[in-house]
Amino acid sequence: MSKIRIYTIAKELGIENAEMLSILDDLGIEYKSVSSTIEEDTVELIKGIVAEGRGSAPAVAQTDQPQPEKQEEVNTDTVQNDQAKTEKSRVDQTPAQADSGLSAEELAELAELEAEEAAEQAAAAARAELPHRAPVVTIMGHVDHGKTSLLDYIRSSKVAAKEAGGITQHVGAFEAKTSKGRVVFIDTPGHEAFTSIRARGANVADIAVIVIAADDSLMPQTREAIAHAQAAKVPMLVAINKVDLAQADPERVKADLTTINLVPEDYGGDVITVPVSARTGEGVEDLLEYISLTAELEDLRADPKGEFGGVIIESRVDKQAGVLATVMVQEGTLKVGDFLVVGENYGKVKAMTDSAGGRIKEAGPSTPVQILGFSESPSSGELVSRTENEHAARELIAGREEKRREEEEARKKPKLSLDDILGP
Ligand code: GDP
Ligand code: MG
């Protein structure tokens, strides 16, 4: 389950870090420093010990007997005992005192972590004020289990095409309008996009739908997809597809899931499984509902007025138009005329279309847009940032080029051999 930092618990319980560490020592629990984390179960145990200590005499185990140096301090001191006590309690309040039992290094680390935590809390508080954003969903699973069919069904039933003839171009993502709001689907073939994007350190999906064919159950790529979602810490929903088939056996799929520690709700676990058919559309509405529910629990928010941030979903070169890149807007708002930098390339957004092919002037968070303006094709997963103007874009790129060259140089340098170090 969840883990908590030692100093956080100490603070919560109103005890010194040193006392906290001595309790852990008594319990035989290993730690590296006050910033180490411990299990939630252990926290409960410690809370019990501290409460008990407060209820009865002074405190816990070791602290029952004053430490020798402390006793000496009081004895040799000329000040009166209670004065010493007042002083001690004052000292107790400042962790930067040697009295906390921590080394200078640990204290510095503690201060840094506390500052970090405060900043995180402030950021979380600020974030709670931001508007919600639509979830971005990726569909993964074994080949032929129905990923494309499911996406097609959702697209055809939930997207109003704006292009003449109703045929929308493939842009790697689309927006579905549901009764609970927008849901954005990443729709690049297989889960390549998801993995290549992840490999570059960006997380584009908020929710993963694992498609499992009810007549085939768990297959190698199913396990792979599950592993990817778990590694990305993305919540998962299981769509048990092809339930229209006579040989469909959704119960077997659920039983099989339990063998890989994914326990469906009706087996007492917390994994949501939704029986669907991409052929008849059965259950698709339920799936969309569960996606919205999961998104709600995730409390997805973004700042449309904040600094722009996006990620490349895919790109291609159109013979007439030039480079067409699909960008997922993650933060802020992207506008026509903006200068964008991707890696060591930049471009000015000349035109922008939404995933249904409609021309738009601006796009907020969780919106996939196809943009025209890059001179070179960016790769999926590359991060997109915005600069004030062309000059700033060039400067940013120059900095990146220099950094890359330095890194290349560093890699080229031959490693020192033992002879180099020891001399002739
Ligand atoms: P993908 O490889 O996961 O994208 O799978 P596809 O969407 O290409 O589907 C593979 C095959 O299964 C195709 O022949 C689909 O027509 C079929 N298929 C997909 N979903 C269903 C379904 O719900 N019911 C039935 N009977 N067939 C389906
Ligand atoms: Mg497919």
Side-chain angles (χ1 to χ4, degrees):
M1 278 298 301
S2 72
K3 291 185 158 227
I4 305 164
R5 287 194 198 277
I6 292 171
Y7 72 82
T8 310
I9 307 155
K11 202 155 78 178
E12 234 173 67
L13 295 174
I15 62 171
E16 286 295 321
N17 286 302
E19 186 179 347
M20 185 72 197
L21 295 184
S22 93
I23 295 172
L24 291 173
D25 288 339
D26 289 347
L27 292 170
I29 291 161
E30 286 184 12
Y31 56 83
K32 274 210 184 104
S33 72
V34 284
S35 56
S36 302
T37 56
I38 53 178
E39 299 286 344
E40 216 164 23
D41 290 352
T42 315
V43 177
E44 288 311 309
L45 193 65
I46 293 164
K47 279 183 184 164
I49 293 172
V50 171
E52 221 172 84
R54 279 192 190 132
S56 60
V60 214
Q62 280 192 3
T63 35
D64 267 347
Q65 287 127 8
Q67 280 158 20
E69 316 102 86
K70 277 183 191 161
Q71 190 122 38
E72 239 169 76
E73 233 175 59
V74 174
N75 287 347
T76 53
D77 242 337
T78 47
V79 285
Q80 282 187 341
N81 261 3
D82 42 355
Q83 243 178 323
K85 265 184 210 149
T86 336
E87 189 157 39
K88 188 180 177 301
S89 65
R90 186 172 54 79
V91 164
D92 279 350
Q93 285 157 7
T94 39
Q97 298 289 330
D99 202 52
S100 64
L102 300 176
S103 73
E105 243 169 60
E106 280 175 324
L107 282 170
E109 190 190 355
L110 183 61
E112 203 175 288
L113 283 161
E114 277 179 339
E116 244 172 55
E117 202 166 84
E120 260 170 40
Q121 273 170 7
R127 203 158 183 84
E129 303 283 303
L130 297 176
H132 280 107
R133 63 172 179 83
V136 178
V137 180
T138 180
I139 295 194
M140 302 193 286
H142 195 70
V143 64
D144 284 348
H145 278 200
K147 300 178 292 291
T148 304
S149 306
L150 190 57
L151 282 164
D152 284 347
Y153 185 89
I154 297 169
R155 193 186 302 111
S156 64
S157 59
K158 296 289 166 190
V159 178
K162 288 175 197 164
E163 262 187 27
I167 302 153
T168 56
Q169 278 181 345
H170 189 263
V171 299
F174 68 88
E175 298 174 63
K177 305 249 182 305
T178 77
S179 56
K180 298 264 159 57
R182 278 189 325 128
V183 177
V184 182
F185 287 91
I186 302 275
D187 130 2
T188 40
H191 52 244
E192 284 156 41
F194 182 70
T195 48
S196 71
I197 287 167
R198 280 261 309 141
R200 287 164 197 273
N203 244 352
V204 75
D206 303 302
I207 297 168
V209 171
I210 310 293
V211 175
I212 307 176
D215 62 340
D216 210 17
S217 200
L218 298 190
M219 284 291 142
Q221 283 168 290
T222 317
R223 293 170 207 271
E224 213 176 277
I226 289 167
H228 280 305
Q230 285 172 334
K233 297 197 170 65
V234 171
M236 254 183 291
L237 289 171
V238 175
I240 304 179
N241 191 33
K242 307 197 188 185
V243 292
D244 59 289
L245 293 175
Q247 65 271 35
D249 190 355
E251 287 311 312
R252 182 183 147 214
V253 176
K254 288 188 213 172
D256 287 350
L257 281 170
T258 62
T259 67
I260 54 166
N261 285 324
L262 290 180
V263 185
E265 281 186 318
D266 38 359
Y267 278 67
D270 57 6
V271 174
I272 295 168
T273 58
V274 191
V276 300
S277 166
R279 180 154 294 173
T280 67
E282 179 190 341
V284 173
E285 209 56 58
D286 294 337
L287 179 64
L288 292 170
E289 196 138 315
Y290 277 116
I291 288 171
S292 298
L293 200 69
T294 307
E296 223 170 89
L297 292 174
E298 292 293 301
D299 197 29
L300 307 168
R301 295 167 191 271
D303 188 359
K305 296 194 186 81
E307 193 176 332
F308 167 78
V311 59
I312 299 287
I313 300 296
E314 66 168 43
S315 75
R316 64 191 174 87
V317 182
D318 182 277
K319 280 202 188 98
Q320 271 125 47
V323 174
L324 291 169
T326 302
V327 174
M328 179 71 72
V329 179
Q330 296 186 301
E331 289 279 345
T333 299
L334 183 59
K335 299 187 183 77
V336 170
D338 280 350
F339 280 95
L340 298 182
V341 176
V342 177
E344 293 177 13
N345 296 309
Y346 79 94
K348 185 181 177 172
V349 182
K350 286 187 217 149
M352 193 154 68
T353 49
D354 65 17
S355 59
R359 286 240 166 186
I360 50 170
K361 286 249 157 13
E362 53 177 67
S366 291
T367 313
V369 288
Q370 191 177 62
I371 61 166
L372 185 66
F374 285 111
S375 53
E376 280 178 57
S377 230
S379 310
S380 67
E382 286 196 280
L383 296 177
V384 190
S385 48
R386 172 167 56 195
T387 57
E388 275 306 307
N389 48 45
E390 187 166 354
H391 178 71
R394 284 180 188 278
E395 272 193 345
L396 179 59
I397 290 167
R400 285 181 181 177
E401 283 170 344
E402 196 184 323
K403 192 166 169 244
R404 173 175 53 80
R405 262 184 241 117
E406 276 169 14
E407 282 167 3
E408 279 169 3
E409 279 306 311
R411 246 178 277 132
K412 260 189 233 150
K413 276 195 189 128
K415 289 209 176 75
L416 286 178
S417 71
L418 203 57
D419 283 345
D420 291 332
I421 297 164
L422 299 175

